[in-house]
Amino acid sequence: MRRIFSGIKPTGHLTLGNYLGAVRQWVEVDQHQADALFSVVDLHALTVDHEPARVRRLSRQAATLLLAAGLEPARCTVFVQSHVDEHTRLSYLLECTATDGEMRRMIQYKEKSARERATGGSVRLSLLTYPALMAADILAYGAHEVPVGDDQVQHVELTRDLAVRFNQRYGRTFTVPKAVRPAVAARVMDLQDPTSKMGKSHAETAGIVYLLDEAEVVRKKVMRAVTDSGSDVTYDREAQPGVANLLEMLAACTGGKPAELAEEYTAYGALKKDTADAVVELLRPVRRRHAELCADPGYVDGVLREGAERARGLARPTVDAAYAAVGLMLPV
């Protein structure tokens, strides 16, 4: 059976973009068609300045929301990355396999380090090396597929390169994975800046719909969404990014097609209202189930404990084999 791995980073409250771009696919498709592992990748949250208590709180919230969205522990493995030591064990071997140039070419490192340098600051070394940890997240489990958004495809390509290089140098150890992207709404854009992704760690939140936003908050954010000059409702990502973003959100919520939905509207107001209604209804059961799970913390703890145990059991043989392959002595 094919195996998939994907993770979500607890650097902010989960958004509609996280749900439509990734989590819903995990719930409706991936957990039913593959041996699927989904992780809250909390170690990745440490690559930037952070408040320890907030990381811990957001990690638990993310895990709870994954369950609230419909991930079923009987069908898939849900766990927290730092609970499985094999991730960091393998990460160092992959750092020893990667090159400095490969790491520095990663787009996220280039963009974030450039912003910091422009203000006289610097970035943590882990921001440069974390793609090796991401590769370890994937390769430790022998994953065949990695569901990702457009902005993470480059990291999966690096993972493939590292797996191939390691296998060539030390003997076949890793499965070479491939990135898979959802067909619709792979990237949901900020409602106030439709040229930027709806990111959970953005400082400005007016254009971000969070999964735990109250219904009226969601409606206000969508109704205040930036549109475009003119009044025609057409699906054109380049010429009308604001309208296109609303159409893609509506399509993702209702199962329609953006271009076909555009033909049903003659004004932005009606499009915004229908999009707001669709988003509210989509998130209603998630918010309700989240409240139920928060009232039963022991259940969530049990899921994460059992998930970590299964993940550890899957990863350890591969990581031990990698240690042996590079010439390290295994514990006696």
Side-chain angles (χ1 to χ4, degrees):
M1 189 176 188
R2 67 189 176 96
R3 180 171 293 162
I4 67 171
F5 174 93
S6 199
I8 200 153
K9 186 164 58 174
T11 51
H13 301 287
L14 299 193
T15 71
L16 179 67
N18 298 131
Y19 183 75
L20 293 178
V23 175
R24 190 170 67 169
Q25 169 84 10
W26 301 351
V27 169
E28 296 181 355
V29 179
D30 295 334
Q31 70 172 339
H32 300 283
Q33 297 184 357
D35 180 10
L37 297 100
F38 302 110
S39 180
V40 178
V41 288
D42 53 345
L43 293 173
H44 291 297
L46 310 185
T47 61
V48 295
D49 289 343
H50 63 278
E51 179 187 340
R54 185 170 187 267
V55 171
R56 192 176 301 114
R57 183 172 65 252
L58 290 176
S59 296
R60 185 174 187 84
Q61 183 186 90
T64 306
L65 276 169
L66 292 181
L67 298 174
L71 290 184
E72 302 175 34
R75 294 182 179 273
C76 65
T77 303
V78 181
F79 68 102
V80 176
Q81 177 192 34
S82 63
H83 295 177
V84 181
D85 293 344
E86 279 65 30
H87 291 254
T88 50
R89 287 182 63 209
L90 183 55
S91 178
Y92 182 71
L93 296 194
L94 296 177
E95 286 183 22
C96 295
T97 306
T99 67
D100 174 76
E102 285 175 317
M103 295 297 189
R104 294 186 186 279
R105 283 195 294 272
M106 295 293 104
I107 293 172
Q108 291 194 23
Y109 173 76
K110 290 170 67 174
E111 291 179 347
K112 291 180 180 179
S113 59
R115 287 198 297 269
E116 287 296 324
R117 284 195 299 269
T119 60
S122 61
V123 297
R124 299 183 179 193
L125 177 61
S126 56
L127 184 65
L128 176 64
T129 61
Y130 95 88
L133 176 58
M134 183 174 176
D137 297 339
I138 299 164
L139 297 180
Y141 298 103
H144 302 94
E145 297 179 2
V146 188
V148 291
D150 293 342
D151 59 333
Q152 292 295 330
V153 171
Q154 185 187 35
H155 288 126
V156 180
E157 290 303 314
L158 174 64
T159 300
R160 290 172 54 85
D161 292 342
L162 295 180
V164 169
R165 187 178 307 153
F166 191 100
N167 289 345
Q168 290 174 340
R169 287 180 180 174
Y170 306 113
R172 180 168 177 79
T173 306
F174 299 123
T175 299
V176 180
K178 66 177 181 179
V180 292
R181 286 170 283 183
V184 178
R187 296 189 77 180
V188 178
M189 313 307 279
D190 191 296
L191 292 169
Q192 292 299 311
D193 180 8
T195 62
S196 298
K197 186 179 71 168
M198 186 180 285
K200 59 182 177 294
S201 56
H202 288 183
E204 295 296 328
T205 63
I208 302 172
V209 175
Y210 296 103
L211 297 189
L212 295 179
D213 277 346
E214 296 288 343
E216 286 311 306
V217 173
V218 172
R219 292 185 195 280
K220 287 180 180 179
K221 289 180 176 179
V222 176
M223 294 304 294
R224 294 173 180 172
V226 169
T227 48
D228 308 286
S229 58
S231 58
D232 293 336
V233 178
T234 58
Y235 180 60
D236 188 329
R237 170 56 73 182
E238 296 299 322
Q240 290 190 303
V243 172
N245 189 37
L246 290 170
L247 288 167
E248 289 182 356
M249 288 170 59
L250 181 59
C253 290
T254 62
K257 296 181 179 180
E260 293 177 2
L261 288 170
E263 297 175 359
E264 300 178 12
Y265 295 94
T266 58
Y268 294 160
L271 171 61
K272 287 182 175 182
K273 181 182 182 302
D274 286 354
T275 302
D277 289 343
V279 172
V280 167
E281 290 308 309
L282 181 75
L283 298 184
R284 191 185 304 280
V286 177
R287 292 178 55 245
R288 182 174 60 248
R289 179 59 177 153
H290 178 267
E292 294 171 354
L293 290 171
C294 286
D296 187 8
Y299 173 76
V300 177
D301 289 342
V303 168
L304 296 180
R305 182 169 54 251
E306 292 174 8
E309 289 174 358
R310 179 171 189 270
R312 200 175 297 118
L314 291 173
R316 184 164 294 167
T318 298
V319 177
D320 283 350
Y323 267 57
V326 299
L328 298 176
M329 290 180 59
L330 296 180
V332 295

